[in-house]
Each structure stands twice: as C-alpha cells, then as structure tokens.
Amino acid sequence: MPERLAETLVDLWTPLIILWITLPTCAYMAPMNQPHTLTTGSPLGLSRQSEELRILNRSKRGWVWNQMFVLEEFSGPEPILVGRLHTDLDPGSKKIKYILSGDGAGTIFQINDITGDIHAIKRLDREEKAEYTLTAQAVDWETNKPLEPPSEFIIKVQDINDNAPEFLNGPYHATVPEMSILGTSVTNVTATDADDPVYGNSAKLVYSILEGQPYFSIEPETAIIKTALPNMDREAKEEYLVVIQAKDMGGHSGGLSGTTTLTVTLTDVNDNPPKFAQSLYHFSVPEDVVLGTAIGRVKANDQDIGENAQSSYDIIDGDGTALFEITSDAQAQDGVIRLRKPLDFETKKSYTLKVEAANIHIDPRFSGRGPFKDTATVKIVVEDADEPPVFSSPTYLLEVHENAALNSVIGQVTARDPDITSSPIRFSIDRHTDLERQFNVNADDGKITLATPLDRELSVWHNITIIATEIRNHSQISRVPVAIKVLDVNDNAPEFAAEYEAFLCENGKPGQVIQTVSAMDKDDPKNGHYFLYSLLPEMVNNPNFTIKKNEDNSLSILAKHNGFSRQKQEVYLLPIVISDSGNPPLSSTSTLTIRVCGCSNDGVVQSCNVEAYVLPIGLSMGALIAILACIILLLVIVVLFVTLRRHKNEPLIIKDDEDVRENIIRYDDEGGGEEDTEAFDIATLQNPDGINGFLPRWGMPTERWEERNAIQTGCV
Ligand SMILES: *[C@@H]1O[C@H](CO)[C@@H](O)[C@H](O)[C@H]1NC(C)=O
Ligand SMILES: *[C@@H]1O[C@H](CO)[C@@H](O)[C@H](O)[C@H]1NC(C)=O
C-alpha cells in the first residue's frame, strides 16, 4: 500500500523530487501525508489517508510536499527508513544518482544513491533537535551533472512521551490563615513537561494530592490548592506537608509523573482570649519603697502569637486603686504593678486589687466567642519599715521681736517616730544654718530660744534647719526648715534724710519757702512712717524762720520776714526736732544751716561768700582772712601758754576773782588737752568785750552750736 500511495503522488507532483515516506508501525506516529496533519492539527489514521488523497488528486497544487517524519527515540535493530527520493526524469536513458546534503546528512541520515532511500542511522531526540533541514539533488550517474536544481526539504522528529512532568520551583511553601473557611485558596503550583505540547497528550498534565488529605485539595487542571477542612486550628497543628503529583497523558495510566512537596503553615488569627495563670497573686512591699518601684508582675497567657497575644492590663477595682498602677510590658506581655503614692504601714497594712488583661487586637469574627479578657485578684501586704522622725509641719515660720530677751522661747518644733516602736527624739540645730549661733534648741522638747541679741535692721530673716534624731536609732534623721522672722521694734530715731544746706536770698520775700527737708527712720513700722517736726521749745517763737509740715511727710522751712543781710548775719542755724510715731516715739534734733546770699531779681543765688567756707586755699579774700584769723588765734594761745608757765613758778597769791579763775585753769592743765582750749581763752576772761570782738565773726550765736560751727568753718 505505501508503494501505491507513493506512485499516486509521483503522478500528481510536478517538482522533480518525490518523497516516499515510510509508515511507522507505531500508532502515534505520523502518517505519510503529514502536511495535512500540520493544517488540521490532528493526527490522521491510516484508514482516512486514501480519502485525503482523493482530495489531493483533484487539486494538483496548493501544498508543499517537502517534509518527512521520523519517530524520536526509535531504536530498532536496523536503521529506520525515513523516506525515498524519486525524480520523474526518464530513468531509462541515464542512470540517476541521488545526493543528500544539509543537517546530519551522512551522519544521522544516509541515502542510498541509487534507490533514493533515506535511513536514520542514529537515535533521535525531539527534545534535543526537533527538525533537520536537508537538500536533495538528482545527478547523472556518470557525469555527476545535476539533472535538476537542488531541492530543500525538512525531516521532522516526531514526539513520543519520553519526558516526565517536573516541578521546577519546588519544594513550595505557602501560608493560609487558621480558621479559614473550606475551599480557601492556598497557592498554586505548576509542573512543566518537555514533551511536545501541541502533539498528543505527552504534555497534558493532571494534578493530584498524594499526601495532605483531608486537609487540602488540588484542582486537577489548574493546580490550585485549597483548604479541604474548615476551621483548621493553628494552636492544634501549625504545619502541614502536602505531596502533589503531576501526571501527563491526561492522567491516564502509562503516563509519566512527577511530584513535589508543599509546606503549608497556618497563620495566627486572634481566636483565643488571654487567661491569667493564677487567679490570685500575693505581693508584699515595704512601706518606705520609692514611688514608681515595680511591686510585682501578673501575666495572662494567650495561645495566640504576635499582636493577637497582646493584652493591656488595668486595675479595675479594689481598695488600692489610688495607690497602685499597672502598666503593660509589651515585651514580656505582662502587667507591672507599681506604687503611685506613699504607703504607710501604720495606717493600712494590706490592699486588694482586681486586675484585668484584655486583648488589644480583637478579631470581630471571634468576638462572639466571649470576652477576650480575663481578671485576677492581687493582694498586696505592706511591711513595716523603720522610718525617720516626722515633724508636725513640713516647715515652720516663727516671728520674734528684735528686742526679745536672751533665752526667751521664740517657738517650738515637734516630731514623732511614726514606727510602732516609737522612739524618743532629740532635736538639734544644723549649725551650718546658724553660723552665728543666734539660737538654741532644747534637745528634748524642741523649744527654740534666743542665744544672742537680734537686730532687725541688720538681718530680718534667720532661716535655720532643725534636725530630729531618733534616740534608739541615730541613723533615723529628719530635717525641717525653720524660718525666723525678726519683727520691728521702734529702736531708731528719725533724722534728716540727707545733709541739707539752705540758702536765703537777701532780697527774698516774707513767707518764702527757703528749703524742704525730709526725714528717714531705719525702723520699719507696720503702717509706714509718720514724722512730726517741731522747733526747739525755746525757738518756737523764732522771729526769723518758721516751719510747715507737708502732706508727703516732708517739711518746708519758710522765712518769716524780708531784709536778711549778709552784713548783719551770714549764717543761721535752725535746729529741728523730728519725732516718729512709734510707741514710745523716738526723736532727734537735726540742725539746718541757712546761708544768706545775694540773689538776682528772679531769686537765683549769686553770692553767699561761699568761697570762704568751702574752698580751703586762698582763692578769695574771705578765705585768706579766715586762715589768717586762725593763725592769729593760735599765736595768741601759744603766747598765753608761755605766760602761764612763767606764772607757775611764782608763789600762789590770790588777789582777786580774776586770779582765782586763772588758777583753776592752771590746775586743769594736766588733763585738759584740746577740749580745754576754750578754757584757755584767757583773753575772753580778761577782756569781757572779747566776746563781741573776735569770735562772733564766725557766726556763733550761742555756745551750744559752737562746735558744729567750728567744724563748718574748718577751724577747730
Ligand atoms: C527665709 O525664709 C523666708 C520664708 O520662707 C523667705 O521669705 C526668705 O527669703 C528666706 N530668707 C533667706 C535669707 O533665705
Ligand atoms: C534773728 O535775726 C537777727 C538778725 O537778723 C538776729 O539778731 C537774731 O538773733 C535772730 N534770732 C534768732 C532766734 O535766730
């Protein structure tokens, strides 16, 4: 039959070369009219071939007969016949020789040059090389002359199922949340098959699960893996091994297969509430523990992991809610109980707290399973600690008048030992805070007494520290600040606030204010100062000046008349008595010096002979005269002195009153010194007129002010 088919082809084919194809015995092998299979895409059985050929007969052209087929992996005892070349040139006249060249010519494919039969002499592998391109030519046997142009054709290697499916990316890992519903997609895997995917079923794969049921299933075609059980629980089993098989030939028996493994890990969801390991916790804490100290830890376990296991801790009830707090330690996933306020064993010895742990990240899908929280009871026992003394007040403020008597009690501090075994306490002053040892404290009763006199005007505050020490345990010490304020007593008289110097114009008018003075007082009365001013009683009717108190506590001095003249009197001294409003009031007398000056019409002082009093070295006549007068006075005194010395050696004869005075002076000589120089003013004594002659020139109205005046004139 192949022969007959080949001859038919020879008849209808115009190109010179005619291929005769061997018909393989294998059912899956290509039929000889393979070009048709290429167009239809499905292999043809032999029974259909004659029908096909009838169609071919009707159309002489339209398809190319230039392919041959050879089955891969064929390994018979002899070389396999692939096809035959034939030319329709008249073979009778000349002998024809067939020549083959191209891919594998001579090595893989051999041609019988007389018959044109092509054999494959080697085993072929489609997956290695699927087709070979060769060239055939008919030449004259003797001359080797081409009888026609060379003709190209292809030998295709026909697939057989010689490759098993392979999972190139295995083994695989995938995750799926626990508690997923049935049929939740997990992942998909793919196997590849090297066989021809377009020809036959050699590459048609079907997937199945060999291991991993009943938890997972696989879709046979798409290889999508799904959960096959609902609500798989991570807390029960976290990891599953699934073995997947891919089989070619559409899964039919005889097909080849490959397997791979898939590890499926269930991921956590919050499906478990926290649960305290204990329902009751006991802690104890010394009463003197520092605030913020961790007292104990409570932990609620959670079978979930990660954030699904995170809980926040709270104190929700109990009698210690104000004193304790709980903080969540995210790292250790527990709750730390800390002290917020000081404890006192002597007041309360135990506390109870109700603590709660609640999941932070709740999954609404499972919230119906009950509250995702738990509670436990915490009992805290307060232990006694040896505590230092406690003062009755954190600070003390004492007040004492500055004239308080020495050793008088100015205040008292008290302290007690808070412990049950109450120890007696001794008091002392921290001497660093009382360097001047101004105070004492009674060691037993804490009474503070005055040790040295106080002066408010020196120091208002004495801030000291008192130490309380337990007698039974000297290391238990407390300190308390004691601020002692010194209260004012009226112990300072008021005086002029400044050194005033007043000027009076010769051309001034009566009632004119010639000076305003104010007073000051070192004391600090509660209601402020109120000063009273007055003239000395004997001067109340002073014909020259008068005074007037102002609203602002100051005083104005007014001239009573006009017509003051330097000629008559250059300087007036006006003593003023200033009195404060203390109880009892204190007063002092300050003297105001008033100079008579020449002024311009608008009252500007122009000349007061001021140079004579102020400038020491002779710039003016006034100054020179003053100095000269001093020298003359001194000379007179010296002369008198010498005269008196001479008198000493003479016998003592009392002649009259004057002599007696002279004698008295002599007796005073020894102890007198400078102050007695006035007494030596023998000229004054001997010449009663002297009082009007010399001294009044220096403006000394009365003896009382003599000294002050002498200082002002610079002549003592
Ligand atoms: C002493 O204490 C009082 C009251 O606390 C305060 O006003 C004063 O400034 C303190 N004085 C000194 C010198 O520290
Ligand atoms: C008043 O001034 C006159 C001269 O101007 C003087 O003589 C008299 O002593 C003064 N009186 C008093 C109290 O100062």
Side-chain angles (χ1 to χ4, degrees):
M1 187 164 112
E3 263 88 352
R4 203 209 70 185
L5 183 62
E7 259 134 57
T8 318
L9 288 170
V10 169
D11 289 341
L12 59 90
W13 202 37
T14 320
L16 298 177
I17 304 291
I18 291 175
L19 305 178
W20 177 91
I21 312 273
T22 53
L23 286 176
T25 48
C26 174
Y28 290 103
M29 284 174 189
M32 61 184 264
N33 58 340
Q34 185 61 27
H36 278 267
T37 68
L38 290 175
T39 53
T40 61
S42 66
L44 290 171
L46 281 177
S47 55
R48 288 182 60 197
Q49 285 178 354
S50 45
E51 194 186 344
E52 297 273 327
L53 287 169
R54 274 200 301 280
I55 297 163
L56 295 178
N57 276 336
R58 280 198 297 275
S59 62
K60 287 203 158 197
R61 314 244 169 168
W63 51 279
V64 179
W65 186 249
N66 61 351
Q67 294 188 39
M68 286 188 203
F69 293 86
V70 61
L71 206 58
E72 67 167 334
E73 305 289 353
F74 185 83
S75 54
E78 286 173 16
I80 181 173
L81 178 64
V82 179
R84 178 179 294 158
L85 299 180
H86 186 78
T87 179
D88 56 354
L89 293 171
D90 179 21
S93 57
K94 287 175 190 158
K95 281 193 95 179
I96 295 169
K97 189 163 111 184
Y98 294 98
I99 295 171
L100 189 65
S101 60
D103 288 346
T107 55
I108 298 169
F109 302 104
Q110 227 170 32
I111 192 163
N112 182 320
D113 52 5
I114 299 163
T115 62
D117 287 349
I118 298 169
H119 284 88
I121 55 172
K122 277 196 181 148
R123 192 179 148 136
L124 298 171
D125 184 2
R126 189 196 69 85
E127 285 74 35
E128 206 176 279
K129 190 164 168 64
E131 56 181 49
Y132 297 82
T133 306
L134 294 141
T135 308
Q137 200 165 30
V139 297
D140 187 297
W141 184 264
E142 276 146 21
T143 62
N144 266 352
K145 266 200 174 157
L147 299 173
E148 55 178 42
S151 192
E152 193 170 84
F153 69 100
I154 292 164
I155 298 178
K156 284 202 168 178
V157 183
Q158 199 118 35
D159 186 45
I160 64 163
N161 187 20
D162 58 343
N163 288 282
E166 267 184 287
F167 291 93
L168 295 178
N169 299 321
Y172 299 86
H173 291 270
T175 58
V176 67
E178 62 167 331
M179 296 292 153
S180 291
I181 56 163
L182 179 101
T184 303
S185 172
V186 180
T187 185
N188 73 330
V189 296
T190 343
T192 52
D193 193 310
D195 289 324
D196 194 345
V198 298
Y199 173 74
N201 289 328
S202 304
K204 186 162 191 243
L205 303 182
V206 167
Y207 298 89
S208 60
I209 283 187
L210 300 184
E211 235 178 82
Q213 279 159 330
Y215 307 106
F216 298 97
S217 64
I218 192 162
E219 283 190 0
E221 314 260 303
T222 57
I224 293 172
I225 293 141
K226 293 179 171 173
T227 57
L229 275 187
N231 300 337
M232 285 195 278
D233 190 4
R234 187 198 68 84
E235 287 74 35
K237 182 166 158 62
E238 188 171 5
E239 212 171 78
Y240 294 83
L241 186 74
V242 182
V243 178
I244 298 158
Q245 186 191 56
K247 201 167 173 187
D248 61 15
M249 299 308 295
H252 287 101
S253 60
L256 300 174
S257 67
T259 61
T260 190
T261 59
L262 165 69
T263 308
V264 181
T265 307
L266 297 186
T267 53
D268 189 51
V269 300
N270 191 5
D271 57 342
N272 291 285
K275 189 108 190 70
F276 277 108
Q278 295 162 243
S279 60
L280 182 62
Y281 292 84
H282 284 281
F283 299 120
S284 58
V285 55
E287 58 174 329
D288 61 351
V289 75
V290 178
L291 294 190
T293 304
I295 287 161
R297 288 171 172 263
V298 295
K299 183 169 168 94
N301 298 316
D302 194 310
Q303 292 183 53
D304 294 318
I305 54 168
E307 69 171 23
N308 295 326
Q310 276 176 19
S311 286
S312 68
Y313 292 84
D314 274 308
I315 298 173
I316 56 170
D317 202 4
D319 55 7
T321 48
L323 277 81
F324 300 94
E325 63 186 354
I326 192 166
T327 52
S328 309
D329 180 342
Q331 196 82 38
Q333 295 197 347
D334 60 6
V336 187
I337 296 170
R338 293 178 196 279
L339 187 63
R340 258 174 77 189
K341 289 193 178 145
L343 294 168
D344 185 18
F345 171 81
E346 289 73 25
T347 313
K348 190 158 162 51
K349 295 185 173 56
S350 78
Y351 293 90
T352 305
L353 304 174
K354 194 172 178 193
V355 296
E356 180 188 82
N359 269 174
I360 297 168
H361 305 278
I362 306 250
D363 190 330
R365 277 194 299 155
F366 304 105
S367 52
R369 290 191 176 189
F372 274 65
K373 51 174 118 170
D374 193 24
T375 58
T377 304
V378 177
K379 286 210 183 296
I380 298 169
V381 173
V382 182
E383 294 168 344
D384 195 17
D386 194 1
E387 293 167 281
V390 177
F391 280 96
S392 61
S393 166
T395 60
Y396 292 88
L397 175 64
L398 307 179
E399 292 186 335
V400 56
H401 280 100
E402 55 183 321
N403 62 351
L406 291 190
N407 296 321
S408 59
V409 175
I410 60 174
Q412 185 175 18
V413 295
T414 54
R416 61 174 189 93
D417 177 7
D419 296 318
I420 283 183
T421 58
S422 184
S423 164
I425 288 169
R426 295 193 76 80
F427 299 97
S428 59
I429 292 178
D430 180 347
R431 287 300 173 188
H432 296 290
T433 62
D434 183 27
L435 293 171
E436 280 138 40
R437 298 193 163 255
Q438 194 93 48
F439 306 98
N440 284 326
V441 68
N442 184 304
D444 298 318
D445 61 13
K447 280 186 177 144
I448 298 165
T449 52
L450 189 60
T452 58
L454 295 167
D455 183 1
R456 191 203 66 87
E457 285 71 39
L458 267 176
S459 179
V460 176
W461 287 100
H462 295 274
N463 294 355
I464 62 173
T465 299
I466 301 265
I467 301 169
T469 310
E470 285 182 19
I471 290 179
R472 294 208 195 110
N473 182 353
H474 289 249
S475 65
Q476 294 294 353
I477 288 173
S478 291
R479 312 169 137 257
V480 74
V482 179
I484 300 166
K485 186 178 188 184
V486 182
L487 301 179
D488 188 45
V489 165
N490 190 20
D491 55 354
N492 289 280
E495 55 192 296
F496 275 166
E499 286 280 330
Y500 294 105
E501 196 167 34
F503 299 96
L504 171 60
C505 285
E506 286 178 321
N507 56 355
K509 295 183 182 70
Q512 189 184 2
V513 175
I514 53 175
Q515 180 71 38
T516 301
V517 299
S518 37
M520 55 84 74
D521 189 322
K522 285 178 191 155
D523 291 321
D524 183 22
K526 270 201 197 92
N527 301 323
H529 288 292
Y530 184 81
F531 298 118
L532 294 169
Y533 301 91
S534 61
L535 296 175
L536 285 178
E538 60 265 36
M539 296 283 251
V540 169
N541 294 318
N542 189 311
N544 302 322
F545 307 106
T546 186
I547 58 174
K548 185 171 146 267
K549 171 94 189 276
N550 298 319
E551 297 232 326
D552 65 353
N553 237 353
S554 65
L555 181 75
S556 294
I557 291 104
L558 298 87
K560 259 188 167 173
H561 57 82
N562 56 3
F564 287 93
S565 137
R566 276 174 285 175
Q567 230 65 43
K568 248 192 267 169
Q569 190 163 339
E570 281 183 48
V571 175
Y572 294 85
L573 297 176
L574 183 64
I576 295 169
V577 180
I578 313 172
S579 169
D580 61 23
S581 49
N583 185 21
L586 289 183
S587 64
S588 74
T589 304
S590 301
T591 301
L592 178 69
T593 307
I594 303 167
R595 296 192 189 286
V596 182
C597 302
C599 300
S600 64
N601 282 342
D602 47 0
V604 177
V605 174
Q606 284 178 332
S607 157
C608 318
N609 278 350
V610 147
E611 306 91 330
Y613 303 104
V614 175
L615 301 172
I617 294 167
L619 291 173
S620 70
M621 278 305 286
L624 286 173
I625 289 166
I627 292 162
L628 214 61
C630 278
I631 292 164
I632 291 165
L633 179 63
L634 283 169
L635 276 173
V636 169
I637 290 166
V638 168
V639 168
L640 281 172
F641 216 96
V642 171
T643 315
L644 283 169
R645 286 273 168 191
R646 210 177 292 145
H647 276 285
K648 242 182 182 176
N649 299 332
E650 287 171 14
L652 182 75
I653 301 158
I654 301 167
K655 289 178 183 173
D656 51 26
D657 288 353
E658 285 173 17
D659 288 332
V660 173
R661 287 190 200 185
E662 198 179 335
N663 251 346
I664 293 165
I665 291 159
R666 197 166 41 167
Y667 280 115
D668 284 350
D669 181 24
E670 289 292 307
E674 226 174 284
E675 281 172 19
D676 283 355
T677 45
E678 284 171 57
F680 280 104
D681 192 358
I682 206 77
T684 309
L685 294 174
Q686 289 177 338
N687 177 15
D689 293 336
I691 198 158
N692 296 325
F694 189 68
L695 290 171
R697 281 194 64 197
W698 304 99
M700 296 178 194
T702 66
E703 240 174 46
R704 257 182 121 141
W705 307 316
E706 194 171 33
E707 193 178 324
R708 171 180 284 270
N709 203 41
I711 292 163
Q712 284 171 345
T713 54
C715 180
V716 182

